[in-house]
Amino acid sequence: EAMVELPRVMMTQEAARASELVFVDASLPDYQRLVADVLRATGGERPVEVILLDASRTSAGRIGGSPRLDAAMDAALLLTALAGHARDRVQVLAGDRVVHARISGTDRARLLHDTISTLAPVESRLVEADWSALATEVVRLGTHRALVVLLTSLESSAIEEGLLPVIPALVAHHRVVVASVTDPGLAV
């Protein structure tokens, strides 16, 4: 099993300890407050917000009659609007084995428009996500510490075999949030 070696960035021990991984379950009451708290924890500097949508086969599943990818796009638009309002630099990627959409900017009106128009034609593809390639794309966006939000399904086999092996390389450089949409009709 081949792993792509991600570029190394020199970090202080303090910065390395500040890395964290947060899983957000959208079925939790008031989960938006948890996301807002994570977004507020910027350490006093203007963060780079990176939002990565998984457009692989797991995003084709239906949630409340709509594809999971549609809900992830809605979440990406909300996060883009919040980050744009804070005048943070935002970069949005959507992909599976390759990146299908890429949006970047700081101007909140233009950024939201660009995000909507660029993500609109993106559709789920019946392929497995290549998280190693997608993580490499995130690292290529720059060496500044960023909040990286991964919008994907938490399907155990896809996570264990694809996403989990690349998480250490991402959290070594960025604050990472993995978020997933759940069907409220299936809530226990």
Side-chain angles (χ1 to χ4, degrees), residues 47-147:
V48 176
E49 312 281 344
V50 178
I51 303 163
L52 177 59
L53 281 79
D54 175 4
S56 70
R57 69 164 183 82
T58 60
S59 67
R62 302 198 71 77
I63 301 294
S66 298
R68 182 182 305 272
L69 182 60
D70 289 358
M73 286 181 184
D74 289 345
L77 289 172
L78 174 64
L79 291 170
T80 299
L82 290 171
H85 184 70
R87 305 238 185 269
D88 293 337
R89 187 166 51 114
V90 179
Q91 300 187 61
V92 179
L93 302 174
D96 42 51
R97 300 195 74 65
V98 297
V99 173
H100 298 290
R102 185 184 314 260
I103 306 102
S104 182
T106 55
D107 178 80
R108 64 181 171 177
R110 179 96 184 137
L111 183 60
L112 202 52
H113 174 269
D114 290 350
T115 302
I116 292 168
S117 59
T118 304
L119 290 180
V122 175
E123 293 183 1
S124 301
R125 293 183 31 199
L126 297 179
V127 297
E128 292 296 327
D130 182 345
W131 284 106
S132 186
L134 294 173
T136 299
E137 288 297 319
V138 169
V139 171
R140 283 186 186 149
L141 294 175
T143 58
H144 288 66
R145 188 161 174 78
L147 172 64

Side-chain angles (χ1 to χ4, degrees), residues 25-45:
D25 182 348
S27 69
L28 294 172
D30 204 20
Y31 76 92
Q32 297 93 339
R33 193 168 83 198
L34 173 62
V35 172
D37 289 345
V38 171
L39 290 172
R40 263 195 303 277
T42 63
E45 61 184 53

Side-chain angles (χ1 to χ4, degrees), residues 1-20:
E1 170 175 316
M3 272 289 275
V4 172
E5 179 66 28
L6 299 176
R8 295 262 186 245
V9 176
M10 296 301 291
M11 297 179 61
T12 65
Q13 286 184 349
E14 180 179 290
R17 278 193 301 273
S19 299
E20 63 185 81

